[in-house]
């Protein structure tokens, strides 16, 4: 079966509804303070045939960081419970301000799902175009899912600390600028202000258009260049907890950039450790110098 691109349009998906082996997954998840229930919203309205991924629980509860990426065994079990098969064509979408389908994309790619795409603009664009929705839950039978291979690189706190000395990889933070600079505190009181020393700041919204779709390649390159990021050098993406960093990683993948990695745990891991250095101010980039805290 022919592969599809990693980004598909609402029109493409509308034409594929009900197609054999095309499986649609709602990858929505929300921050606690939004008081939004992703599953309840899915039951109220989802793209016809879509299954609820339950991204919030696609984690390793025993991991070293908050909401750690699942192990391969945990991933396979979760996919089996969703009735997925290894050769399915997967389309991920979300109805989240954080574009959580990118986090799901990273996980699927990490464990070898080669035929997986994100719906450009997500549920918001689908609804804005008044396309069909359905209520309730999709019906499917469980499967015996076994993943193989995979790509995508991870970095732990020890790797990021070592990189402070070598600067072998650029660290790019996807959080909003006020939190990155320390002008606004983190919404979690136990997490310090600021950012990892030497980081560049590319808020994840900078790679999206107003309707939530991804910018074209020219403007994606410009978003990183304007922040001082050198796309010819390796990149570690970070954010609050590893979710919106995946939006940057997906944008970089659109550009064909492969020497990227995710710091899973990100600032929630770094900012709660009293022994890690923190920086307040603009960070790395054109004509900027941060002040260490």
């Amino acid at each position: 079966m022919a592969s599809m691109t990693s980004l598909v349009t609402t029109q493409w998906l509308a034409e594929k509804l009900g197609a054999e082996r095309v499986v649609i997954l709602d990858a929505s998840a929300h921050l606690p303070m939004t008081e939004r229930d992703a599953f309840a919203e899915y039951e109220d309205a989802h793209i016809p045939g879509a299954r609820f991924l339950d991204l919030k629980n696609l984690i390793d509860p025993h991991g070293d960081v908050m909401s750690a990426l699942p192990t391969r065994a945990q991933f396979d079990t979760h996919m089996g419970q969703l009735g997925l098969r290894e050769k399915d064509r997967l389309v991920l979408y979300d109805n989240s301000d954080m574009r959580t389908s990118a986090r799901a994309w990273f996980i699927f790619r990490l464990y070898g799902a080669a035929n997986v795409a994100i719906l450009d603009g997500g549920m918001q664009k689908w609804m804005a175009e008044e396309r069909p929705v359905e209520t309730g839950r999709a019906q499917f039978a469980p499967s015996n899912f076994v993943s193989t291979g995979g790509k995508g690189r991870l970095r732990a706190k020890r790797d990021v600390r070592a990189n402070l000395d070598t600067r072998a990889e650029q660290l790019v933070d996807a959080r909003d600028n006020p939190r990155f600079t320390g002008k606004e505190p983190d919404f979690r009181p136990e997490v310090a202000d600021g950012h990892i020393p030497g980081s560049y700041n590319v808020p994840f919204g900078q790679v999206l258009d107003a309707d939530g779709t991804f910018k074209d390649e020219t403007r994606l390159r410009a978003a990183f260049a304007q922040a001082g990021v050198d796309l010819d050098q390796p990149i570690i993406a970070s954010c609050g907890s590893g979710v919106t960093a995946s939006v940057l990683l997906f944008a970089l993948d659109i550009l064909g950039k492969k020497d990227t990695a995710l710091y899973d745990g990100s600032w929630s891991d770094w900012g709660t450790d009293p022994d890690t250095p923190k920086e307040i101010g603009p960070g790395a980039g054109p004509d900027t110098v941060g002040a260490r805290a």
Side-chain angles (χ1 to χ4, degrees), residues 20-39:
E20 184 179 4
R21 304 301 287 270
V22 174
V23 178
I24 307 168
L25 296 170
D26 184 329
S28 301
H30 310 290
L31 290 171
M33 76 280 292
T34 65
E35 298 184 345
R36 292 177 63 183
D37 185 329
F39 182 62

Side-chain angles (χ1 to χ4, degrees), residues 59-71 74 264-265 269:
I59 61 172
D60 178 3
H62 309 295
D64 294 333
V65 299
M66 183 181 71
S67 300
L69 288 164
T71 65
Q74 291 164 344
D264 198 34
D269 182 40

